[in-house]
Amino acid sequence: MTIKFNTIDDFDIEGKTVLVRVDINSPVDPNSGIILDDTRMKLHSETLKELSNKGAKVVVLAHQSRPGKKDFTTLEQHSHVLSKNLNIDVKYIDSIFSHEAKETIKNLKNSEILLLENVRFFSEESISKSPEEQSQTLIPQNLAPIIDIFVNDAFAAAHRSQPSLVGFAPVLPSAAGRVMEKELKVLQNAIDNVEHPCVFILGGMKSDDSIDVMKNVLENGTADYVLTSGLVANILLFAAGYDIGKVNKKFIKDRDYCYLVKKSKKLIKKYGSKIVYPKDVAIQNKKGLREDVPVDKIPNFSIFDIGIESIKDYAKIIRSAKTIFANGPAGVFEEPKFAMGTEDILNAIASSEGFSIIGGGHIAAATVAMGFENDVDHISSGGGACINLLSGKKLVAVEALIDSAKK
């Protein structure tokens, strides 16, 4: 399937005012307020630098965190970090569509870059509507008249239907930026031309998304095996009839995931051995130490990782795969004693000859932290967007770009 959207190559951008939506949402130290990691800014630098080099007047829209969180802050510091990464002075203004902001946009010279304020400071940005409805909200209504072209490079947020992400495509010529373009081409090509055996490794905490992916890839024949870890594995073990201990059952119930246990029972019944769950798990015992126990003898302690025997089984399946998709860590990898599952799975992926995709979020961070980033074929910049795509859902921001291209 070819996704037909415009890219930067489809427009003559010299002298044009180009609005670029990026995702430079970054970890911020809650005490000092200092940005701790500029990975996403480096990622989007390719698009911004290209637009600047081609003589566009570049206006950047972005968000940082969300209301109520400690790292919900202005983008002033982001402008300094972007300036260093681009080796271009990135201007910043502490508003989105004030008279001053609009005048600054109108007065931009060719190749200049201006970063506007955190779009989530504006309440409409948190309301989800259709692209056509979002085009009538205040951010697009105020900015679209002074913009020539809209470029969406925020793949990591492409599953969100918010004004800054989908509201410009119905009213402006629109294109995918280089990050968006690469992500969609790599992921869609891997899905459309999957080589078998194909293995999906699903872990982490976002079990509802993971089980949707599991259902989709087994139904459509993409996956030969789905290996489970993290909370996903606990739900599968519960569904398979194992006593995972009161504390782990309570965790599932407290998150309102009982419906996922029922859903998993049906999937196990239908797909059997294609769904692989651990044969042993790691718990933190009374002494605070890691202890590996078989799944039919789990005591009433929290499960924090898959066990050593499971790791061996998973690694064997991974190393024989031709295509590998991984989303979510195997356990509480931030704690060294429970990092073994995540580290060994990533090591198996890195040493496999198969085409490998790491699906963003925590597993991407773990891949980099553990030094495997150069040994996998693609690390996605967006966990949520990637997992939505893999579960067969359409990404609303991408659909908006496709509709714009049709016009």
Side-chain angles (χ1 to χ4, degrees):
M1 183 184 80
T2 304
I3 302 175
K4 294 181 179 176
F5 49 79
N6 289 321
T7 71
I8 294 168
D9 300 324
D10 293 302
F11 295 100
D12 176 14
I13 58 175
E14 187 178 357
K16 299 289 197 308
T17 304
V18 180
L19 180 69
V20 191
R21 176 58 159 100
V22 296
D23 189 338
I24 51 173
N25 186 26
S26 304
V28 172
D29 186 296
N31 301 312
S32 66
I34 292 170
I35 291 170
L36 298 171
D37 181 70
D38 64 350
T39 302
R40 286 191 167 181
M41 287 188 247
K42 284 176 180 165
L43 207 60
H44 290 289
S45 291
E46 182 186 353
T47 300
L48 297 176
K49 190 171 270 190
E50 182 180 348
L51 291 169
S52 175
N53 288 344
K54 287 182 175 177
K57 302 165 186 178
V58 186
V59 183
V60 184
L61 272 182
H63 72 275
Q64 171 62 40
S65 192
R66 55 169 59 94
K69 294 211 166 187
K70 285 183 178 178
D71 56 351
F72 184 55
T73 184
T74 78
L75 298 185
E76 183 174 10
Q77 192 186 170
H78 295 65
S79 70
H80 302 314
V81 179
L82 272 174
S83 296
K84 284 180 186 173
N85 279 319
L86 291 164
N87 204 21
I88 299 169
D89 181 40
V90 175
K91 297 180 178 185
Y92 161 77
I93 192 159
D94 63 354
S95 61
I96 305 165
F97 55 80
S98 65
H99 174 74
E100 186 188 0
K102 289 197 265 191
E103 286 304 304
T104 306
I105 292 168
K106 288 175 188 174
N107 292 324
L108 280 175
K109 294 183 176 71
N110 290 10
S111 300
E112 286 188 334
I113 302 175
L114 170 69
L115 176 63
L116 301 178
E117 187 53 282
N118 185 346
V119 288
R120 290 189 178 168
F121 279 8
F122 190 66
S123 59
E124 276 188 328
E125 185 65 16
S126 62
I127 299 166
S128 185
K129 296 178 182 177
S130 71
E132 287 70 26
E133 288 173 313
Q134 296 291 26
S135 71
Q136 301 305 309
T137 56
L138 287 168
I139 295 177
Q141 285 286 299
N142 275 275
L143 292 181
I146 55 172
I147 301 295
D148 298 309
I149 299 162
F150 173 64
V151 172
N152 194 341
D153 208 30
F155 174 76
H159 55 306
R160 303 192 186 282
S161 187
Q162 293 168 339
S164 68
L165 291 157
V166 302
F168 291 97
V171 293
L172 286 173
S174 301
R178 296 307 186 200
V179 172
M180 180 77 83
E181 182 186 358
K182 183 185 177 186
E183 287 277 8
L184 293 172
K185 283 183 176 175
V186 170
L187 292 170
Q188 200 61 55
N189 185 60
I191 293 165
D192 292 344
N193 302 295
V194 67
E195 282 195 64
H196 295 276
C198 173
V199 175
F200 276 72
I201 306 153
L202 302 175
M205 299 294 284
K206 291 183 179 176
S207 303
D208 45 354
D209 290 337
S210 291
I211 289 166
D212 280 347
V213 171
M214 186 188 303
K215 184 175 185 289
N216 183 55
V217 298
L218 289 169
E219 274 181 359
N220 65 24
T222 302
D224 296 290
Y225 292 102
V226 177
L227 312 183
T228 63
S229 60
L231 183 57
V232 186
N234 294 0
I235 288 168
L236 264 294
L237 288 168
F238 195 1
Y242 289 96
D243 182 357
I244 59 172
K246 284 181 184 176
V247 66
N248 297 303
K249 288 178 188 174
K250 185 177 183 299
F251 191 81
I252 291 167
K253 288 170 183 173
D254 286 349
R255 292 179 76 93
D256 294 324
Y257 277 171
C258 288
Y259 77 98
L260 292 179
V261 178
K262 289 180 183 175
K263 200 171 181 178
S264 298
K265 277 182 184 175
K266 290 178 183 174
L267 290 171
I268 291 168
K269 189 176 179 182
K270 189 172 182 181
Y271 296 106
S273 60
K274 286 189 172 187
I275 298 172
V276 185
Y277 40 81
K279 61 167 65 166
D280 59 347
V281 293
I283 53 124
Q284 182 164 283
N285 64 20
K286 284 180 183 177
K287 295 178 181 177
L289 302 172
R290 178 188 175 110
E291 186 179 330
D292 288 38
V293 294
V295 292
D296 56 356
K297 293 178 182 175
I298 300 172
N300 192 28
F301 290 98
S302 294
I303 298 168
F304 286 144
D305 196 9
I306 59 173
I308 291 170
E309 294 306 313
S310 304
I311 291 168
K312 288 178 188 173
D313 289 348
Y314 285 20
K316 191 176 177 183
I317 294 169
I318 292 164
R319 288 199 175 98
S320 66
K322 292 277 181 69
T323 311
I324 304 156
F325 294 91
N327 198 289
V332 186
F333 73 94
E334 299 89 346
E335 285 193 41
K337 61 179 176 257
F338 297 116
M340 192 189 301
T342 303
E343 189 161 355
D344 283 14
I345 282 173
L346 287 172
N347 187 29
I349 294 169
S351 58
S352 165
E353 291 180 8
F355 184 83
S356 53
I357 291 175
I358 301 290
H362 287 99
I363 187 76
T367 305
V368 175
M370 293 173 180
F372 295 118
E373 69 269 31
N374 296 321
D375 301 309
V376 296
D377 292 290
H378 181 67
I379 300 177
S380 179
S381 61
C386 181
I387 206 166
N388 269 266
L389 202 64
L390 296 176
S391 62
K393 295 171 187 170
K394 289 182 176 179
L395 303 180
V396 64
V398 177
E399 293 302 304
L401 290 176
I402 293 168
D403 288 341
S404 175
K406 287 175 186 172
K407 292 176 185 177

